[in-house]
Amino acid sequence: MDELMTWPRGASAGPEGPTVPAPAGVAAVAAGAEVAAGWSVGLDVGGTKTLGVLVAPDGAVGPSVRLAARRGGDGVAGTAAEAVRVLVAEAGLPAGSVAGVGIGLPGIVDPVAGRVEHAVNLGIEAAVPLAAQVSAALDGVPVRLENDLNVAALGAAHLLPDPAPDLAFLALGTGLAAGLVLDGRLRRGASGVAGEIGHLVHVPGGLPCPCGQRGCLEQYASGGALSAAWPGLGDRPAPVALFEAADSGDAGAVAVRDRFAGAVAAAVRVLLLTTDVAHVVVGGGVSELGDPLLRVVRARLDDEARDSAFLAAMHMAERVTLAPRGVPVGAVGAALVGRKES
């Protein structure tokens, strides 16, 4: 069963870092007040770093930490436990104040068994009982695992003012996939692959994909696709170099940018036509482009709607937004997973 994983919304600022929503009508813990149970830690584990945040009982985000990644099951577990200890010490919390730890990570994640396997970027192949390992290192604190896209979707939903968030988190990273929160509930799917739209065929007979098909959408609408089509110069990221060249009038860059925008718009259209979510939140590395990316994708959606009264009535462009910059969306979502009652 898919669990309800959202909080009511209000406004509260954490002790450090960006302001994020917290439940309305719940006061933040005052300085010097007795600390209540219910603090949680969220960890977003990637191939190069582990990003963690401490979340207060009222939902406010507190201190954050960023640690270099260590590979393999033992390395990932050790880094996760270290991040939790650092956050608790930095906040000056007493022992036993953390009610749960949530970890979002790539690979095949079994949230029920607390195992992860085939997380190639983390150096994990065979199944690792990561939740049990981290819990043991933290003297039995409950630890729960979730797919990294799913925690990003939960984090994005938490940041929306909508009291019953309904969204798709579209990640434009090395590949392309979406996490789904439907009517406030995380949707994993019958086999855990809900939102894997990157492997829908976009161009029949097109570019080969590691999945074995040709012409998959992620070969045209991902950060990896952009890097292949327009490599960045020096240390400049490919998306930045491409959009700057297109803005300067480079015809080749304009063609690559517009093809990319069309593919991203196709991904948005698939999500809206299949799930009819209220919001498509675009995240991942390419989303760091900000408004220039949003403008070209929305323009493409508007262009397609001009010849279709049906698409025009859906107001697709208006439903697309960017993940908030400077907010650790994945780690916040992981904290939501961690605070679920045992």
Side-chain angles (χ1 to χ4, degrees):
M1 177 182 294
D2 294 328
E3 300 89 353
L4 183 63
M5 286 283 204
T6 57
W7 298 343
R9 276 128 185 96
S12 180
E16 295 183 12
T19 298
V20 299
V26 180
V29 177
E34 183 179 351
V35 179
W39 291 81
S40 60
V41 171
L43 303 176
D44 187 5
V45 177
T48 61
K49 69 181 184 302
T50 292
L51 179 63
V53 294
L54 182 69
V55 175
D58 70 347
V61 174
S64 63
V65 65
R66 178 186 177 119
L67 300 178
R70 286 184 278 170
R71 294 175 61 80
D74 290 343
V76 172
T79 303
E82 180 185 354
V84 174
R85 295 190 193 101
V86 168
L87 289 169
V88 170
E90 184 173 342
L93 295 176
S97 58
V98 174
V101 174
I103 303 176
L105 67 170
I108 299 176
V109 179
D110 184 337
V112 176
R115 292 193 301 259
V116 60
E117 59 185 314
H118 301 303
V120 179
N121 290 346
L122 307 181
I124 294 174
E125 287 292 346
V128 172
L130 189 67
Q133 286 184 236
V134 177
S135 179
L138 296 172
D139 299 323
V141 172
V143 176
R144 300 176 181 89
L145 307 186
E146 186 53 80
N147 174 268
D148 55 352
L149 265 178
N150 288 343
V151 297
L154 289 169
H158 177 63
L159 297 172
L160 285 173
D162 191 336
D166 185 59
L167 65 80
F169 182 88
L170 180 61
L172 305 180
T174 303
L176 173 77
L180 300 172
V181 175
L182 305 179
D183 297 326
R185 294 179 181 270
L186 180 63
R187 175 62 180 171
R188 299 186 183 93
S191 57
V193 296
E196 288 288 349
I197 62 170
H199 297 295
L200 292 172
V201 174
H202 178 59
V203 179
L207 296 171
C209 181
C211 79
Q213 300 184 104
R214 298 188 71 90
C216 285
L217 189 55
E218 78 169 28
Q219 299 304 311
Y220 303 87
S222 65
L226 264 189
S227 296
W230 193 271
L233 300 177
D235 59 356
R236 295 185 66 68
V240 173
L242 170 65
F243 273 65
E244 287 181 349
D247 287 344
S248 70
D250 185 308
V254 170
V256 172
R257 182 199 63 190
D258 290 351
R259 184 171 68 240
F260 174 74
V264 175
V268 171
R269 193 167 59 249
V270 164
L271 290 168
L272 291 178
L273 289 171
T274 55
T275 66
D276 197 24
V277 288
H279 311 275
V280 176
V281 180
V282 179
V286 182
S287 71
E288 291 298 313
L289 281 167
D291 287 340
L293 172 65
L294 191 60
R295 281 197 299 269
V296 296
V297 173
R298 283 178 170 173
R300 185 59 178 261
L301 290 166
D302 282 336
D303 286 344
E304 293 166 351
R306 287 195 180 95
D307 298 325
S308 170
F310 170 65
L311 292 181
M314 292 187 68
H315 303 287
M316 291 190 175
E318 297 172 21
R319 300 199 214 180
V320 183
T321 188
L322 296 174
R325 301 183 72 173
V327 177
V329 173
V332 171
L336 296 179
V337 172
R339 70 188 283 132
K340 181 193 169 195
E341 292 184 6
S342 300

